[in-house]
Amino acid sequence: DLRIIQDAFKARWNNLTKEEAGAFTVGQMVAFTSRSGQRIEGEVEKINRKTIGVKVGPYSSYRVSPSFLEVVE
């Protein structure tokens, strides 16, 4: 059924997200492109199950999917 396919897809997607999130560490500098096309750089603040908390400046933070992040050297 479609439900079985959906459950399998969801499980695989969750596993991929966890693997991608494991590539980052707290304190690491990362960058991503915002919806408006602006490149935003910040520091990994927290690693959640499906998102990475990125701190940008003293008062701003974002929750970003690990697949959108890249490490800044």
Side-chain angles (χ1 to χ4, degrees):
D1 290 73
L2 290 176
R3 177 61 93 188
I4 294 170
I5 295 170
Q6 180 184 15
D7 290 344
F9 182 79
K10 186 175 181 181
R12 179 67 178 140
W13 183 263
N14 287 339
N15 287 337
L16 287 174
T17 303
K18 287 178 187 177
E19 289 173 13
E20 290 173 340
F24 298 99
T25 57
V26 173
Q28 189 174 29
M29 293 301 294
V30 295
F32 64 96
T33 304
S34 71
R35 291 180 182 171
S36 64
Q38 180 183 7
R39 180 179 165 90
I40 298 175
E41 294 186 7
E43 179 181 346
V44 173
E45 185 175 44
K46 185 177 181 181
I47 300 174
N48 301 311
R49 276 187 279 138
K50 294 185 178 184
T51 60
I52 305 285
V54 179
K55 184 174 183 177
V56 180
Y59 304 109
S60 182
S61 63
Y62 295 86
R63 284 181 291 163
V64 184
S65 173
S67 61
F68 294 124
L69 292 175
E70 60 183 59
V71 176
V72 174
E73 297 185 23

